Amino acid sequence: MLLRILLILIAVFGVISLFHKLSPDAALQASRRKAAWSAAVRKTAYSLAAAVFLGVGAFTGWHALRFEDATAGIVAVGVLPLALWLAYRSYRVDRP
């Protein structure tokens, strides 16, 4: 009995999906979904990269101050603007 109900539901949803694909707005909706998905993936990638570079910058800054390491200080000064730029890019991904 449960299998019959499941098969009927699959058939009904299959017919509905066929009619949905025949609608004139289907291509427009698909392109909007694709654009939204790619923006979300780019935003996630930029956010993760900014977080990683911010962590690297914080660690190298701490290391430079704690151990008086000039090389770590140079890395911190170089990495933190990159983290800020990636955070800005993440913020601006879905804006025109």
Side-chain angles (χ1 to χ4, degrees), residues 17-36:
S17 71
L18 287 176
F19 284 126
H20 181 69
K21 289 182 181 177
L22 296 177
S23 73
D25 294 334
L28 179 64
Q29 289 174 353
S31 67
R32 284 183 182 169
R33 276 194 303 270
K34 183 179 178 185

Side-chain angles (χ1 to χ4, degrees), residues 16-89:
I16 289 172
S17 71
L18 287 176
F19 284 126
H20 181 69
K21 289 182 181 177
L22 296 177
S23 73
D25 294 334
L28 179 64
Q29 289 174 353
S31 67
R32 284 183 182 169
R33 276 194 303 270
K34 183 179 178 185
W37 177 258
S38 66
V41 168
R42 282 193 319 254
K43 189 174 193 98
T44 303
Y46 282 137
S47 298
L48 286 174
V52 166
F53 280 112
L54 185 63
V56 168
F59 175 75
T60 55
W62 168 82
H63 186 80
L65 292 175
R66 174 73 172 91
F67 297 107
E68 298 177 2
D69 186 4
T71 305
I74 292 170
V75 170
V77 168
V79 167
L80 289 177
L82 181 60
L84 288 174
W85 179 74
L86 286 169
Y88 176 74
R89 295 285 297 164

